[in-house]
Amino acid sequence: MFIFIPPSEGKAVPTDDERLSAGSLVLPELAETRRSLVKSLARLSAGPADKALSVLGLTEGQRGELEHNRRLTTAPTGPAAHVYSGVLYDALDLPGLRDRNEAAYRRAQESVLVFSALWGVVRPEDRIPYYRCSAGVKLPGVGSVTAVWKAALNGPLEDLVGERLVVDLRSSAYAGLWRGRTQARAVTVRVLHEREVGGLVKRTVVSHFNKATKGRIVRALLLDGAEPKTAEEFADVLRDLGFTVERAGPGAVDVIVTEL
């Protein structure tokens, strides 16, 4: 089983001495694509700030992000599990998992892939610097990063995944980076917040519930060690782990939550 998750906008700034090595990340055959994107992002961020902020979708108060992008190749790096933060990553707590359950953390390194506009995909232990670049950005001389990765990831990721089930927890922006043939063997998860409003039960998608629940799902799967091979088996595993699950069509499940 592979588990696909999105990155986070919020990140921790690494302090280790080790620098970026694009060829050391998972799927080293993507190193040249990564270098090209890093070079374009650094050049953009070193140019006129107003243009860079506009291209990257940042505000005037986020000018400091450009400084990080300028020195991507010389900045300290850290494991992706430590760099990415935010609601999903707080609930998943990979650093804590590493300290408390070595076997579960090994499973994370083997099965969890974080999708990224700059790196394509990374494993939890892959070392990356702090950066700011989201899916949907169009970099000068490169174009849409989504289109770049859609082409570059197609074969290598298809080969890596093989026949294993993909549990796809990516947000829609990052789902566009790769839609391989193995998507026929994938299961997508939607989190619905159920509450009573005016005497009626309503279900809605709420970002905070969605991210926190997906983080808990990944953590529970890693601790359990189950290896479902179909969407039906995956739904059964989640039920056994205490989640309220409903099938939402072929290759899709809904997880219903009433509180965090």
Side-chain angles (χ1 to χ4, degrees), residues 12 48 82 85 88 117 129 146:
H82 293 256
S85 60
L88 187 154
T146 298

Side-chain angles (χ1 to χ4, degrees), residues 3 7 25 32 38 43 54 56-57 70-71 74 84 99 108 140 146 155 184-185 191 193-194 211 231 235 247:
I3 304 172
L25 308 181
E32 194 55 42
V38 165
R43 186 186 300 116
S54 176
L56 297 174
R70 291 185 195 111
R71 51 190 186 89
T74 59
Y84 292 118
D99 294 338
T146 298
R185 296 187 295 280
V191 178
H193 177 210
E194 183 177 274
K211 293 175 181 177
R247 291 301 306 277

Side-chain angles (χ1 to χ4, degrees), residues 1-5 111-113 115 157-158 160-170 178-189 221 227-231 234 251-253:
M1 175 177 64
F2 274 95
I3 304 172
F4 291 175
I5 59 177
S111 64
V112 173
L113 289 177
F115 276 69
L157 189 52
E158 193 80 31
L160 179 66
V161 171
E163 298 297 317
R164 291 160 70 177
L165 177 70
V166 169
V167 176
D168 193 346
L169 304 178
R170 295 174 295 172
W178 183 78
R179 298 183 187 277
R181 293 187 301 276
T182 53
Q183 286 297 87
R185 296 187 295 280
V187 54
T188 59
V189 178
L221 289 169
E227 285 288 345
K229 294 178 174 55
T230 65
F234 171 73
V253 301

Side-chain angles (χ1 to χ4, degrees), residues 228-240:
K229 294 178 174 55
T230 65
E232 291 78 7
E233 290 180 8
F234 171 73
D236 289 340
V237 168
L238 285 190
R239 292 188 187 98
D240 290 343

Side-chain angles (χ1 to χ4, degrees), residues 8-79:
S8 61
E9 291 296 326
K11 301 175 186 71
V13 179
T15 57
D16 296 349
D17 290 335
E18 192 169 340
R19 299 301 184 253
L20 174 66
S21 172
S24 70
L25 308 181
V26 66
L27 300 176
E29 58 267 47
L30 301 175
E32 194 55 42
T33 301
R34 290 166 174 144
R35 292 189 191 101
S36 175
L37 292 173
V38 165
K39 183 177 180 180
S40 177
L41 179 59
R43 186 186 300 116
L44 169 70
S45 299
D50 290 346
K51 177 182 177 181
L53 292 174
S54 176
V55 170
L56 297 174
L58 302 177
T59 66
E60 182 64 30
Q62 294 174 303
R63 276 182 176 248
E65 302 290 83
L66 302 181
E67 176 60 29
H68 289 289
N69 286 348
R70 291 185 195 111
R71 51 190 186 89
L72 286 166
T73 58
T74 59
T77 64

Side-chain angles (χ1 to χ4, degrees), residues 97-98 100-108 110 222-223:
L97 193 65
R98 182 178 187 176
R100 299 185 188 98
N101 192 311
E102 186 176 341
Y105 191 79
R106 282 200 306 271
R107 284 193 283 273
E110 294 167 358
L222 295 174
L223 287 168

